[in-house]
PDB file of all heavy atoms in Angstrom:
ATOM      1  N   VAL A 246     193.610 -41.703-135.567  1.00 97.00           N
ATOM      2  CA  VAL A 246     192.321 -42.022-136.161  1.00 97.00           C
ATOM      3  C   VAL A 246     192.330 -43.448-136.716  1.00 97.00           C
ATOM      4  O   VAL A 246     191.376 -44.213-136.516  1.00 97.00           O
ATOM      5  CB  VAL A 246     191.964 -41.026-137.295  1.00 97.00           C
ATOM      6  CG1 VAL A 246     190.591 -41.377-137.904  1.00 97.00           C
ATOM      7  CG2 VAL A 246     191.949 -39.603-136.753  1.00 97.00           C
ATOM      8  N   ALA A 247     193.422 -43.806-137.382  1.00 98.00           N
ATOM      9  CA  ALA A 247     193.545 -45.140-137.969  1.00 98.00           C
ATOM     10  C   ALA A 247     193.437 -46.238-136.911  1.00 98.00           C
ATOM     11  O   ALA A 247     192.790 -47.260-137.142  1.00 98.00           O
ATOM     12  CB  ALA A 247     194.868 -45.271-138.726  1.00 98.00           C
ATOM     13  N   SER A 248     194.013 -46.008-135.766  1.00 97.00           N
ATOM     14  CA  SER A 248     193.964 -46.991-134.676  1.00 97.00           C
ATOM     15  C   SER A 248     192.530 -47.250-134.225  1.00 97.00           C
ATOM     16  O   SER A 248     192.134 -48.389-133.966  1.00 97.00           O
ATOM     17  CB  SER A 248     194.795 -46.539-133.499  1.00 97.00           C
ATOM     18  OG  SER A 248     196.164 -46.435-133.840  1.00 97.00           O
ATOM     19  N   CYS A 249     191.727 -46.194-134.168  1.00 98.00           N
ATOM     20  CA  CYS A 249     190.331 -46.361-133.768  1.00 98.00           C
ATOM     21  C   CYS A 249     189.516 -47.090-134.835  1.00 98.00           C
ATOM     22  O   CYS A 249     188.601 -47.864-134.540  1.00 98.00           O
ATOM     23  CB  CYS A 249     189.711 -44.984-133.478  1.00 98.00           C
ATOM     24  SG  CYS A 249     190.422 -44.181-132.009  1.00 98.00           S
ATOM     25  N   ILE A 250     189.845 -46.831-136.087  1.00 98.00           N
ATOM     26  CA  ILE A 250     189.168 -47.546-137.199  1.00 98.00           C
ATOM     27  C   ILE A 250     189.505 -49.020-137.129  1.00 98.00           C
ATOM     28  O   ILE A 250     188.608 -49.886-137.345  1.00 98.00           O
ATOM     29  CB  ILE A 250     189.535 -46.907-138.557  1.00 98.00           C
ATOM     30  CG1 ILE A 250     188.895 -45.522-138.673  1.00 98.00           C
ATOM     31  CG2 ILE A 250     189.145 -47.815-139.712  1.00 98.00           C
ATOM     32  CD1 ILE A 250     189.305 -44.723-139.897  1.00 98.00           C
ATOM     33  N   LEU A 251     190.758 -49.351-136.862  1.00 98.00           N
ATOM     34  CA  LEU A 251     191.152 -50.761-136.778  1.00 98.00           C
ATOM     35  C   LEU A 251     190.396 -51.452-135.629  1.00 98.00           C
ATOM     36  O   LEU A 251     190.000 -52.596-135.748  1.00 98.00           O
ATOM     37  CB  LEU A 251     192.644 -50.905-136.604  1.00 98.00           C
ATOM     38  CG  LEU A 251     193.381 -51.327-137.876  1.00 98.00           C
ATOM     39  CD1 LEU A 251     193.366 -50.221-138.906  1.00 98.00           C
ATOM     40  CD2 LEU A 251     194.815 -51.748-137.575  1.00 98.00           C
ATOM     41  N   PHE A 252     190.217 -50.741-134.522  1.00 98.00           N
ATOM     42  CA  PHE A 252     189.442 -51.345-133.428  1.00 98.00           C
ATOM     43  C   PHE A 252     188.042 -51.689-133.860  1.00 98.00           C
ATOM     44  O   PHE A 252     187.561 -52.811-133.648  1.00 98.00           O
ATOM     45  CB  PHE A 252     189.398 -50.344-132.261  1.00 98.00           C
ATOM     46  CG  PHE A 252     188.311 -50.660-131.255  1.00 98.00           C
ATOM     47  CD1 PHE A 252     188.391 -51.774-130.452  1.00 98.00           C
ATOM     48  CD2 PHE A 252     187.184 -49.824-131.172  1.00 98.00           C
ATOM     49  CE1 PHE A 252     187.346 -52.083-129.563  1.00 98.00           C
ATOM     50  CE2 PHE A 252     186.152 -50.111-130.275  1.00 98.00           C
ATOM     51  CZ  PHE A 252     186.235 -51.252-129.471  1.00 98.00           C
ATOM     52  N   LEU A 253     187.347 -50.747-134.533  1.00 98.00           N
ATOM     53  CA  LEU A 253     185.975 -51.003-134.972  1.00 98.00           C
ATOM     54  C   LEU A 253     185.893 -52.105-136.034  1.00 98.00           C
ATOM     55  O   LEU A 253     184.862 -52.771-136.149  1.00 98.00           O
ATOM     56  CB  LEU A 253     185.353 -49.727-135.497  1.00 98.00           C
ATOM     57  CG  LEU A 253     185.035 -48.649-134.457  1.00 98.00           C
ATOM     58  CD1 LEU A 253     184.540 -47.367-135.128  1.00 98.00           C
ATOM     59  CD2 LEU A 253     183.996 -49.145-133.441  1.00 98.00           C
ATOM     60  N   ALA A 254     186.969 -52.293-136.752  1.00 98.00           N
ATOM     61  CA  ALA A 254     187.026 -53.320-137.806  1.00 98.00           C
ATOM     62  C   ALA A 254     187.360 -54.694-137.243  1.00 98.00           C
ATOM     63  O   ALA A 254     187.221 -55.687-137.943  1.00 98.00           O
ATOM     64  CB  ALA A 254     188.019 -52.932-138.895  1.00 98.00           C
ATOM     65  N   SER A 255     187.785 -54.743-136.010  1.00 98.00           N
ATOM     66  CA  SER A 255     188.304 -55.989-135.440  1.00 98.00           C
ATOM     67  C   SER A 255     187.173 -56.856-134.801  1.00 98.00           C
ATOM     68  O   SER A 255     186.070 -56.387-134.587  1.00 98.00           O
ATOM     69  CB  SER A 255     189.348 -55.659-134.394  1.00 98.00           C
ATOM     70  OG  SER A 255     188.737 -55.122-133.220  1.00 98.00           O
ATOM     71  N   ASP A 256     187.554 -58.073-134.480  1.00 96.00           N
ATOM     72  CA  ASP A 256     186.611 -58.979-133.857  1.00 96.00           C
ATOM     73  C   ASP A 256     186.219 -58.528-132.434  1.00 96.00           C
ATOM     74  O   ASP A 256     185.136 -58.826-131.965  1.00 96.00           O
ATOM     75  CB  ASP A 256     187.174 -60.400-133.799  1.00 96.00           C
ATOM     76  CG  ASP A 256     187.287 -61.034-135.159  1.00 96.00           C
ATOM     77  OD1 ASP A 256     186.584 -60.587-136.096  1.00 96.00           O
ATOM     78  OD2 ASP A 256     188.104 -61.965-135.311  1.00 96.00           O
ATOM     79  N   VAL A 257     187.126 -57.818-131.761  1.00 96.00           N
ATOM     80  CA  VAL A 257     186.818 -57.407-130.384  1.00 96.00           C
ATOM     81  C   VAL A 257     185.707 -56.370-130.324  1.00 96.00           C
ATOM     82  O   VAL A 257     185.144 -56.098-129.266  1.00 96.00           O
ATOM     83  CB  VAL A 257     188.082 -56.905-129.650  1.00 96.00           C
ATOM     84  CG1 VAL A 257     189.101 -57.981-129.561  1.00 96.00           C
ATOM     85  CG2 VAL A 257     188.653 -55.661-130.311  1.00 96.00           C
TER      86      VAL A 257
END
Side-chain angles (χ1 to χ4, degrees):
V246 179
S248 296
C249 293
I250 290 173
L251 257 69
F252 162 70
L253 290 174
S255 71
D256 291 338
V257 298

